[in-house]
Amino acid sequence: MNLPRMRALWRGRPRARDAARRRLAAALRREELRGLSFAFQARWIAGIAVGAFIIATVNRPQAWYYLSVVVLLLILGAVPFLLRRHPLGQPARLAFIVLDVAVITMVIMADPPFMAADPWPIQMRLRGQEFIYCLVYLAASALSFSPVVVAWTGAWITVLWSAGVLMVLQRSDTLTAGDIPAGGPMATLSTVLNPAYVSLGQWRNQVVLTLIATALLTAAVWRARSTLLRLTQAEVTRAELSRYVSPDLADAMVRTPDQDLGRPQLRQVAVIFADIVGFTGHAEDLPPERVVALLRSFHARTCKVVFAHSGTLDKFLGDGFMATFGALADDPDAARKALACALALQAECERWRAKRHARGAPEIAVAVGVHVGPVVVGNIGAERRLEFTAIGDPVNVASRLERLTRDHGCRIAASRELLEAAGPLPETERPFAARGSVAIRGRTQPIDLFVWPAAAPEPALPA
């Protein structure tokens, strides 16, 4: 598993790169649509809450007018939501934002139509707290998960609210700071308290606060979107890399720098070697495409089992493979996981054997060797050809144990070290049988061998 080359493989190939970009764009689009759905739901909840507040606090018939405005805003929000998948969905959303802001501004500043004029001067409407509704609408735009929408909303609130204030200022009965007569504080107070007085300072504060809130919300949404982009890109990268390497190694490659992941380290690792017994004889009478199909089925079934037990597929070895447990990070349960994986591999192969027998195909047996011990893990090889793997005596022993299954008529050959580190077997499993001290080719020290299942009952390893 050459980590730098694996990363470059999918990034450097045009088809893989284009496919990854399409998946990334699709993932971002899905998140945007989820944001729109959430914002639409929040809009309805807010509309219902405002409607209830109006019914409870506003006299009739003004209450019906304001309720009709709430319904209008809900309809205006529904249109771009229904068009969210249309090619013109984004322009429609931006256009309806302008309509929303215009309606909110008009309702705040204008007298209700078809009703008796408000006895209070229209200038008094600029002194209340109604401008908060504009800020609430601005805050709600952040649910769109789009910095453009937030900035667009803040800009139009500023423009349309300022236009409304300017229209009020143009009225002949409007008083401003320039109309304060000379005469001391009492004259100033008399003008400021006049219902027709409009404070330009208040308007400036509203504009400045709106722009500041817009900038902060835009930055917050942009940062959240950037975080989502990184996470989505990492997930797409992981999905692409998982086609070439073990999923846990793909995770490590995405989140860990090359120099940290590939740096050689000494770890306690459990190692499994497995292959198809008598594969040469099986392949001899099969056409090439059937041989490939057999290997693919074997790899698919066994890889599923290895990954389910948090193992790392180190490499395929023709009709076999090598898997490690605890190679990427220290894992005190590495031996237990490896033993459980070995037993699960045999269970999966039993199901595969029965399926092949039912259709008249030759039965398949898989031999497994498993051992545990300190190994060196990391990038091994030359500068131009690196491979992330595990090397050391336990790797060699696991490989030799797998070969010993033929001599002892078993399916799993394990060392005493592995069984002791793994702990007691589940009650549903048959015990391993001791075969005594066995010499390992190329190794001076023998290994205490245990086999599963045993051809005849023998003393099992004590719990």
Side-chain angles (χ1 to χ4, degrees):
M1 279 169 281
N2 184 345
L3 304 188
R5 291 174 67 88
M6 286 295 101
R7 280 192 176 100
L9 180 62
W10 77 272
R11 289 174 181 162
R13 300 171 71 177
R15 291 184 179 178
R17 184 174 63 250
D18 292 343
R21 287 175 177 172
R22 287 194 298 271
R23 278 188 282 272
L24 178 60
L28 284 175
R29 180 59 178 163
R30 286 193 299 270
E31 291 300 325
E32 288 180 349
L33 292 177
R34 291 191 186 103
L36 286 174
S37 299
F38 183 72
F40 178 69
Q41 295 169 8
R43 186 185 185 112
W44 273 84
I45 294 173
I48 293 172
V50 171
F53 175 76
I54 291 172
I55 293 174
T57 60
V58 179
N59 296 325
R60 280 63 170 174
Q62 286 88 349
W64 306 123
Y65 164 69
Y66 291 118
L67 285 175
S68 66
V69 172
V70 171
V71 173
L72 175 61
L73 289 174
L74 293 178
I75 294 174
L76 291 178
V79 174
F81 175 74
L82 295 175
L83 295 175
R84 65 191 183 279
R85 300 182 186 277
H86 194 274
L88 298 178
Q90 178 70 358
R93 186 177 9 159
L94 297 178
F96 275 83
I97 287 173
V98 179
L99 289 177
D100 286 340
V101 176
V103 169
I104 294 172
T105 304
M106 179 196 70
V107 171
I108 293 174
M109 294 190 173
D111 289 328
F114 314 113
M115 295 183 186
D118 194 330
W120 292 94
I122 194 172
Q123 292 85 350
M124 289 291 292
R125 291 178 171 268
L126 302 182
R127 296 192 181 187
Q129 305 301 319
E130 287 80 0
F131 181 73
I132 293 177
Y133 286 100
C134 293
L135 297 182
V136 170
Y137 183 77
L138 174 62
S141 68
L143 299 178
S144 66
F145 217 69
S146 170
V148 173
V149 169
V150 176
W152 179 265
T153 303
W156 278 102
I157 288 176
T158 303
V159 170
L160 294 179
W161 182 261
S162 298
V165 172
L166 180 61
M167 291 175 63
V168 175
L169 288 174
Q170 298 301 315
R171 291 174 60 94
S172 59
D173 58 341
T174 298
L175 299 177
T176 63
D179 298 315
I180 297 177
M186 293 306 296
T188 301
L189 183 61
S190 176
T191 304
V192 171
L193 294 180
N194 190 304
Y197 179 79
V198 174
S199 173
L200 293 179
Q202 180 181 359
W203 166 70
R204 284 193 291 267
N205 286 337
Q206 291 169 341
V207 170
V208 170
L209 290 177
T210 300
L211 294 177
I212 292 175
T214 300
L216 292 176
L217 283 174
T218 302
V221 172
W222 176 82
R223 184 173 181 181
R225 188 182 178 90
S226 298
T227 301
L228 173 65
L229 178 62
R230 288 195 299 270
L231 293 176
T232 305
Q233 193 167 16
E235 184 60 29
V236 171
T237 303
R238 178 194 176 279
E240 290 294 323
L241 291 173
S242 295
R243 300 173 60 191
Y244 302 98
V245 298
S246 182
D248 56 343
L249 182 56
D251 287 335
M253 292 169 67
V254 169
R255 66 174 182 263
T256 308
D258 289 347
Q259 62 270 23
D260 293 338
L261 180 62
R263 179 169 51 86
Q265 302 178 61
L266 184 66
R267 284 202 173 101
Q268 188 79 0
V269 174
V271 184
I272 281 181
F273 274 84
D275 74 355
I276 300 175
V277 178
F279 177 77
T280 302
H282 287 296
E284 185 177 4
D285 299 326
L286 294 176
E289 59 273 13
R290 291 286 302 278
V291 174
V292 173
L294 176 63
L295 287 177
R296 284 181 174 174
S297 182
F298 170 70
H299 291 155
R301 293 172 181 274
T302 54
C303 285
K304 178 180 66 176
V305 175
V306 171
F307 299 156
H309 290 81
S310 304
T312 299
L313 181 64
D314 189 285
K315 58 176 68 71
F316 287 121
L317 303 167
D319 61 318
F321 66 85
M322 169 185 167
T324 58
F325 298 79
L328 296 177
D330 294 330
D331 187 355
D333 292 331
R336 180 184 60 80
K337 292 176 181 178
L339 181 59
C341 179
L343 294 169
L345 283 170
Q346 293 301 329
E348 177 64 26
C349 289
E350 283 293 333
R351 290 188 289 270
W352 189 25
R353 185 183 301 115
K355 184 177 179 180
R356 291 177 60 85
H357 178 75
R359 67 170 188 264
E363 296 186 7
I364 294 295
V366 174
V368 178
V370 56
H371 184 49
V372 67
V375 301
V376 176
V377 295
N379 283 342
I380 309 299
E383 182 65 27
R384 293 177 60 87
R385 182 62 175 88
L386 295 175
E387 181 180 12
F388 184 86
T389 188
I391 59 174
D393 179 65
V395 177
N396 300 329
V397 171
S399 176
R400 299 292 187 266
L401 289 175
E402 186 272 320
R403 300 301 303 173
L404 286 176
T405 57
R406 282 74 164 172
D407 301 333
H408 292 269
C410 62
R411 291 290 174 258
I412 302 176
S415 64
R416 175 181 290 273
E417 292 86 346
L418 186 283
L419 293 179
E420 289 179 342
L425 285 173
E427 295 182 359
T428 56
E429 292 293 345
R430 287 175 287 178
F432 280 71
R435 285 291 185 262
S437 182
V438 177
I440 299 295
R441 181 168 58 87
R443 194 174 189 267
T444 58
Q445 295 294 326
I447 285 289
D448 289 337
L449 176 65
F450 289 80
V451 299
W452 182 100
E458 294 196 23
L461 180 72

